């Protein structure tokens, strides 16, 4: 018998109730030609949605005055003409930053309003973003169309406390490399409150690459009702290999490649 800590299966959550495998547009599809230099912007997400994507992956930070923005880096410098730390700047300053194509940094409020039927996989990048995320999700009644992940187990626990058991989440990083090395760690991950494992194909342990996505892992995850999503995959042959293994989702920057692979396999992005 499974322990009481085992989460309800992914199939119980509206977020996961779609045809699998699913395609997730990473930062809106950062490697797709029209989106280059426009990652995590409303324009990038618009391109993905127009292509048929129903799942968008994004990252969130909070500004110094608590506004939740869709942005990957902790600072504005790499992808905009702004400078400085998001956590130390008010929204009035962040809102003036522009990408080379002229895009503003979007608020998560804006994205949930602009794409009212789209599902968002949200990576919480900073501790200060957890409470604003909970407020935004509640304000938009969006709990059934978000899945929250993080490289911080503490942030994940906080998000679950604030939003309750209806919130879909992916597992945190604790013991990820151990999934292949330590059966006890694998057991804890599979018995975690999360509905999904979102992992790379390999993880470097020191200088040694450890393969995480294996038939054994997929069998164990599926036996506990969890999805396995793999990031960030841009090569068509690798997409086919992973789909042949039975992964439930692929996260990609090259959204046009993933679209074509899924269509070729008879599992298109949309079933209409």
């Amino acid at each position: 018998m499974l322990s009481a800590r085992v989460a309800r299966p992914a199939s119980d959550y509206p977020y996961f109730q779609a045809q699998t495998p699913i395609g997730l547009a990473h930062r809106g599809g950062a490697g797709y030609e029209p989106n280059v230099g426009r990652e995590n912007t409303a324009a990038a997400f618009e391109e993905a949605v127009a292509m048929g994507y129903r799942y968008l992956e994004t990252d969130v930070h909070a500004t110094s005055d608590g506004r939740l923005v869709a942005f990957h880096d902790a600072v504005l410098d790499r992808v905009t003409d702004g400078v400085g730390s998001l956590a130390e700047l008010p929204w009035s300053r962040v809102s003036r930053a522009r990408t080379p194509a002229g895009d503003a940094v979007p608020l998560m409020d804006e994205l949930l309003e602009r794409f009212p039927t789209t599902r968002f996989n949200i990576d919480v990048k900073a501790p200060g973003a957890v409470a604003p995320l909970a407020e935004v999700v509640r304000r938009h009644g969006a709990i059934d169309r978000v899945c929250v992940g993080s490289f911080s187990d503490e942030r994940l626990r906080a998000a679950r406390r604030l939003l309750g058991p209806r919130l879909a989440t992916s597992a945190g990083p604790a013991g990820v490399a151990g999934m292949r090395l330590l059966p006890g760690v694998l057991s804890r991950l599979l018995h975690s409150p999360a509905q999904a494992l979102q992992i790379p194909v390999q993880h470097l342990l020191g200088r040694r690459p450890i393969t995480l996505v294996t038939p054994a892992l997929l069998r164990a995850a599926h036996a506990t009702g969890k999805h396995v999503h793999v990031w960030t995959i841009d090569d068509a042959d690798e997409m086919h290999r992973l789909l042949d293994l039975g992964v439930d989702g692929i996260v990609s920057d090259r959204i046009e490649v993933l679209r074509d692979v899924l269509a070729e396999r008879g599992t298109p992005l949309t079933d209409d």
Side-chain angles (χ1 to χ4, degrees):
M1 177 180 293
L2 297 179
S3 77
R5 294 184 63 247
V6 179
R8 289 174 18 230
S11 59
D12 282 359
Y13 289 74
Y15 179 88
F16 295 102
Q17 290 172 0
Q19 172 183 276
T20 58
I22 63 174
L24 297 99
H26 186 244
R27 306 183 198 174
Y32 177 49
E33 181 62 31
N35 289 348
V36 173
R38 310 180 84 178
E39 64 181 56
N40 276 324
T41 64
F45 295 125
E46 191 72 61
E47 290 281 355
V49 170
M51 193 179 285
Y53 279 84
R54 293 175 294 175
Y55 287 84
L56 304 176
E57 189 276 345
T58 189
D59 316 277
V60 291
H61 284 270
T63 62
S64 64
D65 48 354
R67 303 301 298 275
L68 191 72
V69 296
F71 204 79
H72 176 270
D73 298 1
V75 297
L76 291 169
D77 308 47
R78 179 177 65 88
V79 295
T80 78
D81 57 7
V83 294
S85 166
L86 286 160
E88 297 175 357
L89 294 173
W91 169 240
S92 60
R93 288 273 303 279
V94 174
S95 66
R96 296 199 293 269
R98 294 291 184 271
T99 69
D103 306 291
V105 176
L107 290 166
M108 199 65 215
D109 280 295
E110 174 192 348
L111 298 179
L112 289 170
E113 290 172 3
R114 186 164 178 169
F115 307 107
T117 62
T118 302
R119 294 161 182 162
F120 285 88
N121 199 93
I122 301 173
D123 185 352
V124 184
K125 288 295 188 185
V130 177
L133 172 61
E135 292 171 6
V136 167
V137 169
R138 288 195 203 99
R139 183 159 58 244
H140 292 273
I143 197 162
D144 289 337
R145 60 189 183 100
V146 301
C147 178
V148 174
S150 179
F151 285 100
S152 163
D153 291 294
E154 183 176 351
R155 284 173 226 153
L156 282 170
R157 287 192 293 269
R160 291 175 185 130
R161 283 195 302 270
L162 288 170
L163 287 168
R166 283 182 59 195
L167 177 68
T169 59
S170 60
V176 167
M179 283 194 289
R180 286 282 285 120
L181 300 176
L182 302 172
V185 172
L186 174 59
S187 177
R188 288 197 297 278
L189 280 170
L190 294 176
H191 291 67
S192 81
Q195 287 69 50
L197 303 180
Q198 295 180 327
I199 55 178
V201 171
Q202 291 187 329
H203 176 81
L204 280 178
L205 187 63
R207 296 183 179 179
R208 180 187 174 194
I210 304 297
T211 298
L212 301 181
V213 182
T214 65
L217 172 68
L218 286 161
R219 286 194 299 270
H222 291 160
T224 60
K226 297 188 189 302
H227 272 214
V228 177
H229 301 165
V230 187
W231 51 265
T232 303
I233 309 300
D234 295 332
D235 176 75
D237 289 341
E238 180 69 344
M239 291 172 186
H240 279 294
R241 185 186 74 83
L242 291 167
L243 293 167
D244 286 342
L245 281 177
V247 304
D248 304 283
I250 289 179
V251 184
S252 183
D253 286 321
R254 293 293 304 275
I255 54 176
E256 79 284 14
V257 176
L258 180 54
R259 173 202 57 194
D260 292 347
V261 165
L262 292 173
E264 180 182 338
R265 298 176 68 92
T267 56
L269 291 167
T270 57
D271 48 14
D272 47 31

